Amino acid sequence: HAAGAPIEVLSGAAAIRRRLLSMQNQAVGEVCTMLPPRRVPAVLTFVENHDEVEHEMARRGVVMRSVIERDWLKHPETATALATYVAEGQHIVVADKVPIKLIIVDRRIALLPLDPEREGEPMALVVHRTGLLTALGSLFDEYFEKGWRLGASVPGPGPGDPGQARLEPVDRQIVALLHVGLTDAAIARQLGMGHRTVQRRLHALMAEVGAATRFQLGWHAARSGWLDETPTNQPESHRS
């Protein structure tokens, strides 16, 4: 790397980790990250990153925005950690697929893997102000705008929780029956209501929590404690 070169190549986990932390410690306004599922060992996990620098960035007023791939939510501990970060003020959205691991600081510098599938010693690119940096920023913005906004709901909300209060008993039954695998038509028959009524109520719930898919609604339902009670009309074959 020559001084002033638009792109640097970093080699080794220690060098990449140092640069990641240094970039964030120097952040002034905004840090943007993209996180696909981990396929090779991480030089710095997002839990470690949170503990190392994110509290300090929040204290300085740095805005933290992230796009994560949906597969991260399959792990309960990860989902709980992400909900905690949202509650602390981070902006996290979920996408079906995330193409590359990426961090952009203040739109002036970015870091990404040289080869995401590389095994052995990791290598990374540090990108300074260039057309490539502009393109990476546009890529992040596109995924962030299209992603599903992650909420800070946690399991088992207590009395007075606004999300809990808005959920009517019939909606709790619909979500629980959907969770155990019933189709909309089967739910309608089970609850004695019209097929379109079930669909309308599901669409209203999805709109309320910002879910773009049934999967996202199910994740929110589980995280918010909507599934804690078994519907009274649930068929015997689905009771636990």
Side-chain angles (χ1 to χ4, degrees):
H1 167 61
I7 296 177
E8 305 173 50
V9 178
L10 299 179
S11 179
I16 296 171
R17 181 187 178 102
R18 282 195 302 271
R19 181 58 68 90
L20 275 170
L21 294 174
S22 174
M23 286 169 56
Q24 292 172 95
N25 281 324
Q26 295 174 27
V28 175
E30 178 189 59
V31 172
C32 302
T33 60
M34 297 181 73
L35 288 170
R38 188 166 57 228
R39 297 178 179 88
V40 296
V43 299
L44 184 69
T45 69
F46 63 78
V47 174
E48 292 171 338
N49 193 68
H50 177 265
D51 294 342
E52 289 273 358
V53 296
E54 288 178 359
H55 283 302
E56 176 61 22
M57 286 198 294
R59 188 192 66 78
R60 298 199 313 269
V62 176
V63 175
M64 288 169 273
R65 300 197 295 153
S66 300
V67 180
I68 65 168
E69 191 163 313
R70 187 176 64 185
D71 282 355
W72 282 109
L73 302 181
K74 294 180 180 179
H75 309 287
E77 292 133 4
T78 303
T80 299
L82 291 169
T84 299
Y85 305 159
V86 172
E88 292 174 354
Q90 295 192 32
H91 307 280
I92 301 175
V93 304
V94 181
D96 289 337
K97 293 292 180 183
V98 174
I100 189 73
K101 187 174 184 179
L102 172 68
I103 180 169
I104 306 173
V105 175
D106 293 334
R107 303 285 169 151
R108 61 177 177 76
I109 188 170
L111 189 147
L112 67 160
L114 178 64
D115 180 358
E117 304 298 330
R118 179 185 176 90
E119 296 183 0
E121 185 177 59
M123 299 184 71
L125 297 177
V126 180
V127 181
H128 298 272
R129 283 197 174 99
T130 57
L132 176 57
L133 180 61
T134 301
L136 292 172
S138 297
L139 177 70
F140 173 85
D141 290 339
E142 180 178 357
Y143 274 80
F144 190 86
E145 291 300 322
K146 292 181 178 179
W148 164 60
R149 187 68 170 265
L150 192 64
S153 302
V154 295
D161 179 87
Q164 186 84 344
R166 286 196 302 267
L167 190 67
E168 297 181 12
V170 66
D171 290 328
R172 184 185 298 278
Q173 292 178 317
I174 289 173
V175 171
L177 292 171
L178 182 70
H179 179 70
V180 298
L182 271 66
T183 64
D184 292 0
I187 293 171
R189 289 194 300 270
Q190 183 67 29
L191 299 182
M193 61 176 59
H195 186 190
R196 290 187 178 179
T197 300
V198 171
Q199 291 182 322
R200 185 177 68 251
R201 297 192 79 101
L202 279 171
H203 289 157
L205 285 171
M206 291 168 65
E208 182 175 351
V209 303
T213 67
R214 300 290 181 91
F215 175 90
Q216 293 169 354
L217 176 63
W219 185 86
H220 183 92
R223 299 287 303 152
S224 301
W226 292 0
L227 305 176
D228 289 348
E229 298 177 11
T230 302
T232 57
N233 290 338
Q234 189 172 335
E236 288 294 328
S237 61
H238 289 287
R239 291 176 190 254
S240 57

